């Protein structure tokens, strides 16, 4: 958790756009919702910062013309 906090803090401080994703959620027993909860409950990102990652994902998706939610 401390290492995650350091990494995300560095990204935010340097204005590096990033998204939150899951790799193999069925194998790792996670979901995007759980990843957001982990970041928020441990004070790694604020709610505003999490919402910014969602907007970055929508803006940079390769699936053009599809509504993402």
């Amino acid at each position: 958790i401390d290492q995650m906090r350091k990494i995300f803090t560095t990204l935010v401080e340097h204005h590096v756009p990033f998204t939150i994703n899951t790799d193999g959620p069925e194998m790792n027993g996670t979901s995007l919702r759980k990843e957001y909860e982990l970041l928020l409950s441990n004070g790694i990102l604020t709610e505003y910062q999490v919402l910014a990652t969602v907007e970055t994902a929508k803006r940079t998706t390769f699936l053009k013309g599809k509504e993402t939610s």
Side-chain angles (χ1 to χ4, degrees):
I1 296 297
D2 289 336
Q3 189 64 30
M4 286 177 65
R5 185 176 292 107
K6 182 179 178 181
I7 291 166
F8 283 107
T9 297
T10 300
L11 292 171
V12 170
E13 286 177 352
H14 293 281
H15 308 284
V16 176
F18 60 92
T19 61
I20 307 302
N21 305 284
T22 58
D23 291 330
E26 64 286 340
M27 293 176 64
N28 294 319
T30 192
S31 67
L32 196 51
R33 184 179 305 244
K34 286 181 182 179
E35 296 300 312
Y36 290 144
E37 289 173 3
L38 174 79
L39 295 167
L40 291 167
S41 66
N42 286 285
I44 295 170
L45 293 177
T46 65
E47 187 173 335
Y48 175 81
Q49 290 166 328
V50 168
L51 292 173
T53 69
V54 174
E55 290 306 313
T56 297
K58 287 179 182 180
R59 194 174 61 252
T60 60
T61 184
F62 63 90
L63 300 174
K64 301 298 180 193
K66 289 210 162 217
E67 185 64 34
T68 56
S69 55

